[in-house]
Amino acid sequence: MREDPVAELLHEAAVDDNVITMPDLTHGRLAELLQAAGGPPQDHELRGELAARTAFRSAVQSWPARRRLRMRRGPAVVAATTVATMLVATTSLAAASVLPGSAGRAVDGFLGSVGVDITPPSTPAAPPAPNVGGPSVVSAPALHATGSVHVGCTIGGTTASGGAAGTVESSSCVLPAPPTTRSHVPTAPAPAATHKAVVAAPKAVPVVHHAGTGSHSGPNGTPSTPPTTLPGGGTSRGGNQGAGGGKCQGGSTTTTTTTTTTTTDPTTTTTDPSTTGSGCGHGGHHHGASGGSTTTTTGGTGTTTS
Amino acid sequence: MQDFRGTVLAAQSGDEEAFARLWREFQPGLLRYLRMKAPTVAEDLAADIWLRVLRALPTFEGDEQGFRGWLYTTARNRLTDWYRNGERRPDLIEYSSLVLLPAVNNVEEEAAEHSATDRAIALIGELPPDQAEAVLLRIVAGMDVPRVALIMDRSPGSVRVLCHRGLRRLEQRLLALEGVAAPTGTELAGVGADGVVAGQVERLHA
């Protein structure tokens, strides 16, 4: 900001251009005149403010949306982006059991407070975490007629009755147990068996269950083929699992056999009813327990093992 | 202006209050500049200039001096268009129709509005155009010599000389006016019209 434009101008005028003699800098009238010319705004000069505001509102509508919303690398944007990135990364690492024990527990605690259950795979019998989105859902895997373990998925906290044991029509979605428990099929409603889930997005994905039919709709309301299963032997619960917290949006039944973990693209959803051993066809991440879970295929990046 | 950069960023994000602060800061100087150049249409031109600024505001990057330079460059370009397009030619009205037209202004109110600032601007406007513009851009617009030189397409030294000579003329003008009685409100009513003030002052001298 300029200190005193008049004084600056008078100082510059002291330059003798060899043609006109220097002005009398002590002459008060000249300084007064210049100060009056550059004086504070007057009322009649600010009369058009309302019209200017109206013009601004109209102009904003015509600005490109990206620019209108642009906050050029503001500190708040940087901070928010950093926090979001760290949250996703930490959650992914926690789900993959990569974090050290203390860090993993801290992450579990934090995510549990927001309704996301990520329990370590080594505790398959751990009690279900509080479900922010609704009642905890537990369902027992039913023995498939062929002998393979069939599990259903429960989504969004709703519990479907599912079919009789051995049927595939269960509409509850339970993450399969680790391979070590493969031969053991708990009959009692088990508490949440663990599953590794990664919530890629905090947004809840509403899913509609049609009990008994084994079908349910994905977030877009499109009915998907039932039943849905989640590898890993755990139980999905909570509401915010659309992007990989074990929420299924269709897909075929899963046969858990081996161990693999995969992360998938949370934005894509695929269903592959014809593929045995494929997991839930939803665009989320889910992982089996370490050391023995199956993977799921979703999006386009997952792998299927059977 | 305090926190100019933050104000501009907020305005670029659609903050109306931020834009209003910008407008209140720069509009008076812009109006005074335009009143010197085109007194009868100063407000219309100012509104048009702000529309142009608004259109390009999202792409502006710079400091306060840069914004002033951009604003007054836009103003000069608009004035050039106004001159070239013949907009300055007044509409011809038959004299006999004048008596039937209602008064569009209140002379007393206008006289009261015209303060020392307006008189000062009018006096500066009596200078040769380049000298008047250099003095006005330095004092009223608040720009430094290099910026004024850029706008006027002159060298900084030339701008300084123009300012110097303009000040000398103003000083002489003031000395000449000192020996004359202060103009009345009626005579001041013509301030703003092309050459009216100068003509009336000359008559006072005679």
Side-chain angles (χ1 to χ4, degrees):
Chain A
M1 188 188 301
R2 303 177 63 206
E3 294 294 333
D4 183 355
V6 174
E8 198 176 320
L9 184 60
L10 292 176
H11 175 72
E12 288 174 2
V15 174
D16 185 356
D17 63 2
N18 294 322
V19 176
I20 299 176
T21 56
M22 289 170 50
D24 184 0
L25 299 179
T26 61
H27 199 291
R29 293 292 297 273
L30 181 60
E32 288 174 8
L33 181 141
L34 295 176
Q35 282 172 350
Q42 302 175 357
D43 291 341
H44 67 278
E45 292 173 333
L46 299 176
R47 260 194 303 233
E49 180 172 342
L50 200 59
R53 285 171 175 264
T54 304
F56 175 77
R57 285 193 293 270
S58 301
V60 167
Q61 297 304 318
S62 64
W63 289 350
R66 182 177 61 83
R67 284 186 175 137
R68 197 185 321 152
L69 298 174
R70 173 177 64 171
M71 293 180 66
R72 285 187 264 174
R73 300 191 194 92
V77 174
V78 172
T81 306
T82 304
V83 168
T85 305
M86 286 176 61
L87 180 65
V88 170
T90 306
T91 308
S92 304
L93 291 174
S97 302
V98 173
L99 292 177
S102 57
R105 283 191 291 277
V107 171
D108 285 353
F110 169 72
L111 293 176
S113 67
V114 295
V116 177
D117 180 32
I118 298 179
T119 52
S122 59
T123 59
N131 182 4
V132 175
S136 297
V137 176
V138 174
S139 75
L143 189 59
H144 193 264
T146 62
S148 60
V149 175
H150 238 277
V151 293
C153 285
T154 305
I155 301 167
T158 60
T159 307
S161 57
T167 68
V168 243
E169 299 301 318
S170 171
S171 58
S172 61
C173 182
V174 175
L175 294 175
T180 54
T181 61
R182 186 173 149 208
S183 59
H184 169 71
V185 178
T187 56
T194 60
H195 69 267
K196 282 296 186 180
V198 174
V199 178
K203 195 164 35 170
V205 179
V207 177
V208 175
H209 256 289
H210 299 284
T213 64
S215 66
H216 55 271
S217 305
N220 58 1
T222 307
S224 53
T225 59
T228 54
T229 59
L230 288 175
T235 305
S236 64
R237 64 179 64 83
N240 294 332
Q241 298 179 356
K247 185 171 288 188
C248 302
Q249 299 172 2
S252 63
T253 58
T254 301
T255 306
T256 62
T257 52
T258 58
T259 346
T260 328
T261 57
T262 303
T263 58
T264 59
D265 179 0
T267 62
T268 62
T269 301
T270 59
T271 58
D272 186 5
S274 63
T275 305
T276 58
S278 66
C280 302
H282 68 90
H285 302 279
H286 43 265
H287 296 267
S290 61
S293 60
T294 321
T295 294
T296 308
T297 308
T298 59
T301 62
T303 59
T304 305
T305 58
S306 58
Chain B
M1 183 181 182
Q2 281 190 350
D3 191 22
F4 170 81
R5 179 133 183 90
T7 305
V8 166
L9 286 174
Q12 289 172 327
S13 300
D15 186 345
E16 184 179 322
E17 287 306 316
F19 172 74
R21 286 197 298 275
L22 277 178
W23 186 88
R24 285 194 293 268
E25 175 70 21
F26 296 103
Q27 167 71 353
L30 179 66
L31 261 187
R32 294 171 192 178
Y33 175 77
L34 292 171
R35 281 198 180 124
M36 186 193 71
K37 292 283 199 175
T40 54
V41 293
E43 294 192 3
D44 293 338
L45 290 179
D48 191 50
I49 288 161
W50 279 109
L51 283 176
R52 295 179 181 210
V53 167
L54 281 172
R55 251 179 259 135
L57 185 62
T59 59
F60 170 77
E61 289 187 8
D63 57 6
E64 185 175 344
Q65 282 291 314
F67 186 85
R68 288 179 188 275
W70 176 42
L71 181 66
Y72 284 90
T73 301
T74 306
R76 278 185 114 234
N77 293 340
R78 184 64 187 91
L79 278 165
T80 302
D81 293 340
W82 183 70
Y83 287 128
R84 284 182 184 164
N85 294 340
E87 295 172 74
R88 61 187 304 208
R89 291 196 212 101
D91 294 330
L92 297 177
I93 302 176
E94 193 175 326
Y95 181 80
S96 59
S97 305
L98 285 175
V99 297
L100 303 176
L101 293 175
V104 296
N105 55 352
N106 185 311
V107 173
E108 286 76 21
E109 283 181 8
E110 279 198 0
E113 284 180 354
H114 294 303
S115 59
T117 299
D118 296 314
R119 289 193 291 270
I121 298 295
L123 280 174
I124 294 172
E126 295 177 16
L127 297 172
D130 286 350
Q131 292 177 15
E133 185 161 14
V135 170
L136 214 61
L137 288 176
R138 292 283 285 117
I139 295 296
V140 173
M143 283 187 280
D144 52 20
V145 170
R147 193 76 56 178
V148 174
L150 212 61
I151 291 173
M152 294 182 67
D153 196 22
R154 288 175 174 268
S155 67
S158 173
V159 169
R160 288 195 186 89
V161 170
L162 286 172
C163 290
H164 181 196
R165 294 181 180 185
L167 289 175
R168 293 297 300 166
R169 279 183 182 261
L170 281 173
E171 185 187 36
Q172 292 165 4
R173 190 71 174 146
L174 287 169
L175 288 173
L177 288 173
E178 273 184 351
V180 181
T184 63
T186 306
E187 287 159 345
L188 279 176
V191 171
D194 282 328
V196 171
V197 170
Q200 288 176 335
V201 170
E202 293 296 332
R203 283 198 297 277
L204 287 171
H205 273 288

